[in-house]
């Protein structure tokens, strides 16, 4: 159940990235339409969503549950806002065209392979006719063996080409079934689904706040007369989801997305973020890019704290943070810089 909710955040992030890309002029491909259709099919049942949410609430601690719900809420609100900004544009996406293109992409290959297969079929029929005809005239054993070998060779060649043709037909049929599942434009449906999901989230966010207040009242007020507030997030889940997709298991040891989010926002979590061997310089560049998105008063404080968390010395940081965009970067540094540009553009 937990995976169903936690997986929604990066999938909503990818959905929002698809929407933004299409609005910016990127092509609307079948793969994007398929993702949109699959998304609605997977998360369209609000009752299942609420059941998973209740199960997760009972399993997770309050702080993580609140972070998760707020992150998901931001992604849903972003999706609704993007759709409503260009509602007519999204409603007019020609989903039927991309589905037809997806199915028909095998037609040229089928026509070409059909010609090849028919050529071998004609040779096979000719060889078969010669073999049958030899029985009605005088011949020796050597001639019959030659005709038999010719027939067997033609049959092997025909069967090989026929198998290629059958495979193309199988792929076309598979594409046809995929296209039929994705014909409908689901952008409006997903927007309405988002509204329903937000209503459910608001209910549990309200319940969570009430529960936290009750727990504070039971424990009593601390000796200073105040209760420490939970640290606010420096970065939105949308940005961190994109970084997580590129860096988890590559620059950092593998962690859950929730722990990744909490670490980089300097919030309490169960799994500590660790840099993988030979990746520290690239992480320094990542820290620089993330810091540039923050207001100046927060930037230095966050950089200092996150460097302490990751075990990066200030002198090392200053000497390495521009290495991926230096005058002579390595191929791996160039690739990393290119991926980060796609995240921070």
């Amino acid at each position: 159940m937990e995976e169903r909710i936690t997986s929604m955040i990066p999938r909503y992030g990818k959905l929002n990235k698809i929407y933004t890309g299409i609005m910016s002029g990127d092509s609307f491909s079948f793969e994007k339409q398929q993702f949109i259709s699959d998304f609605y099919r997977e998360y369209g049942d609000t009752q299942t969503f609420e059941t998973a949410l209740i199960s997760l609430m009972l399993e997770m601690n309050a702080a993580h549950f609140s972070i998760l719900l707020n992150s998901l809420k931001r992604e849903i609100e972003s999706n609704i806002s993007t759709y409503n900004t260009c509602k007519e544009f999204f409603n007019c996406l020609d989903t039927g065209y991309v589905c037809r293109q997806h199915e028909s992409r095998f037609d040229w290959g089928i026509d070409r392979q059909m010609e090849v297969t028919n050529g071998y079929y004609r040779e096979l029929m000719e060889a078969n006719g010669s073999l049958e005809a030899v029985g009605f005239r005088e011949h020796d054993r050597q001639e019959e063996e030659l005709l038999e070998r010719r027939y067997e060779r033609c049959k092997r060649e025909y069967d090989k080409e026929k198998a290629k043709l059958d495979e193309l037909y199988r792929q076309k049929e598979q594409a046809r079934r995929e296209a039929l599942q994705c014909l409908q434009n689901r952008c409006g449906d997903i927007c309405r689904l988002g509204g329903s999901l937000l209503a459910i989230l608001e209910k549990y966010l309200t319940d969570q706040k009430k529960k936290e207040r009750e727990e504070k009242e039971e424990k009593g007020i601390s000796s200073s007369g105040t209760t420490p507030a939970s640290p606010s997030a420096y970065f939105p889940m949308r940005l961190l989801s994109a970084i997580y997709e590129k860096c988890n298991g590559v620059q950092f040891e593998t962690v859950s997305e929730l722990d990744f989010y909490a670490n980089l926002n300097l919030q309490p979590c169960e799994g500590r973020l660790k840099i993988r061997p030979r990746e520290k310089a690239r992480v320094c560049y990542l820290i620089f890019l993330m810091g540039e998105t923050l207001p100046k008063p927060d930037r230095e404080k966050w950089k200092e704290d996150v460097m302490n968390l990751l075990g990066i010395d200030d002198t090392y940081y200053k000497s390495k943070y521009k290495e991926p965009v230096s005058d002579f970067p390595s191929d791996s540094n160039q690739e990393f810089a290119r991926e980060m540009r796609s995240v921070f553009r």
Side-chain angles (χ1 to χ4, degrees):
M1 283 293 187
E2 179 179 345
E3 289 182 1
R4 181 176 181 82
I5 300 297
T6 54
S7 69
M8 283 186 78
I9 298 171
R11 284 175 69 79
Y12 248 115
K14 183 174 179 179
L15 180 68
N16 291 337
K17 192 173 182 180
I18 288 173
Y19 278 20
T20 304
I22 295 171
M23 287 172 60
S24 302
D26 292 352
S27 62
F28 178 52
S29 63
F30 176 78
E31 287 71 25
K32 293 173 183 176
Q33 168 62 6
Q34 188 176 39
F35 181 87
I36 293 169
S37 298
D38 289 346
F39 182 94
Y40 182 74
R41 194 160 36 248
E42 183 173 357
Y43 299 114
D45 186 347
T46 55
Q47 185 174 351
T48 302
F49 172 78
E50 186 164 9
T51 301
L53 205 59
I54 293 169
S55 175
L56 191 61
M57 182 174 63
L58 297 174
E59 295 171 5
M60 292 184 76
N61 67 54
H64 282 182
F65 186 68
S66 181
I67 291 171
L68 184 70
L69 261 59
N70 278 296
S71 299
L72 181 55
K73 180 185 175 186
R74 283 193 292 272
E75 292 294 343
I76 295 172
E77 287 174 339
S78 175
N79 179 263
I80 293 172
S81 174
T82 302
Y83 171 78
N84 284 330
T85 301
C86 297
K87 183 184 293 188
E88 187 175 345
F89 170 80
F90 283 110
N91 288 342
C92 290
L93 288 174
D94 196 346
T95 57
Y97 174 77
V98 295
C99 288
R100 288 190 298 273
Q101 289 289 102
H102 179 68
E103 179 185 355
S104 64
R105 64 200 169 106
F106 294 101
D107 290 349
W108 183 85
I110 287 173
D111 289 343
R112 185 174 180 278
Q113 187 60 33
M114 179 72 79
E115 290 180 10
V116 174
T117 305
N118 284 341
Y120 281 105
Y121 180 75
R122 285 191 292 271
E123 286 186 27
L124 177 63
M125 290 298 99
E126 183 182 334
N128 183 61
S130 298
L131 184 60
E132 289 180 349
V134 78
F136 297 97
R137 62 178 173 79
E138 187 176 338
H139 65 282
D140 57 23
R141 181 59 188 163
Q142 185 180 9
E143 181 184 4
E144 186 174 348
E145 286 176 353
L146 284 171
L147 290 171
E148 285 175 348
R149 284 200 295 271
R150 180 192 174 200
Y151 173 80
E152 291 300 326
R153 176 180 59 79
C154 289
K155 188 174 187 310
R156 283 195 303 272
E157 291 172 342
Y158 168 74
D159 288 344
K160 180 181 176 182
E161 298 304 322
K162 179 66 165 54
K164 292 179 183 178
L165 183 62
D166 290 342
E167 175 60 18
L168 286 170
Y169 274 120
R170 187 198 66 76
Q171 291 176 358
K172 180 179 172 65
E173 176 59 24
Q174 175 66 23
R176 188 187 70 82
R177 289 196 296 268
E178 290 171 350
L180 285 174
Q181 291 183 324
C182 302
L183 276 172
Q184 286 184 270
N185 186 327
R186 292 296 190 184
C187 295
D189 293 328
I190 290 174
C191 179
R192 288 184 287 276
L193 171 64
S196 300
L197 297 179
L198 281 180
I200 295 170
L201 285 176
E202 286 293 344
K203 180 169 64 174
Y204 288 96
L205 281 169
T206 302
D207 290 347
Q208 187 65 22
K209 290 173 184 175
K210 183 180 177 182
K211 183 180 177 182
E212 289 173 359
R213 283 197 302 271
E214 289 173 351
E215 287 176 353
K216 289 176 184 177
E217 289 171 2
E218 288 175 5
K219 291 178 181 178
I221 300 174
S222 65
S223 57
S224 63
T226 59
T227 305
S230 298
S232 59
Y234 285 100
F235 305 100
M237 192 65 183
R238 186 174 185 179
L239 172 62
L240 293 181
S241 288
I243 297 172
Y244 178 83
E245 186 178 333
K246 301 288 186 184
C247 299
N248 187 48
V250 184
Q251 277 69 49
F252 298 101
E253 298 291 347
T254 302
V255 295
S256 70
E257 186 165 3
L258 194 59
D259 283 340
F260 189 83
Y261 173 88
N263 270 276
L264 290 179
N265 274 314
L266 305 175
Q267 295 173 339
C269 63
E270 295 175 1
R272 181 169 178 173
L273 203 57
K274 295 178 182 178
I275 301 173
R276 297 191 68 196
R278 297 184 295 278
E279 294 294 335
K280 189 179 285 189
R282 283 186 275 272
V283 171
C284 289
Y285 179 58
L286 173 62
I287 290 172
F288 166 73
L289 292 175
M290 293 178 69
E292 290 299 297
T293 69
L294 296 174
K296 199 166 185 179
D298 294 333
R299 186 182 306 160
E300 294 306 318
K301 178 70 170 66
W302 174 79
K303 281 169 63 176
E304 180 183 348
D305 289 345
V306 83
M307 283 162 60
N308 286 335
L309 174 71
L310 297 172
I312 299 175
D313 180 75
D314 186 59
T315 305
Y316 180 88
Y317 170 81
K318 288 178 179 176
S319 67
K320 296 289 186 179
Y321 78 96
K322 284 294 185 71
E323 197 169 279
V325 288
S326 61
D327 291 336
F328 303 102
S330 64
D331 291 344
S332 56
N333 276 338
Q334 286 186 62
E335 176 62 23
F336 181 72
R338 185 160 49 248
E339 289 186 347
M340 290 303 99
R341 281 196 297 273
S342 72
V343 170
F344 288 90
R345 63 183 177 182

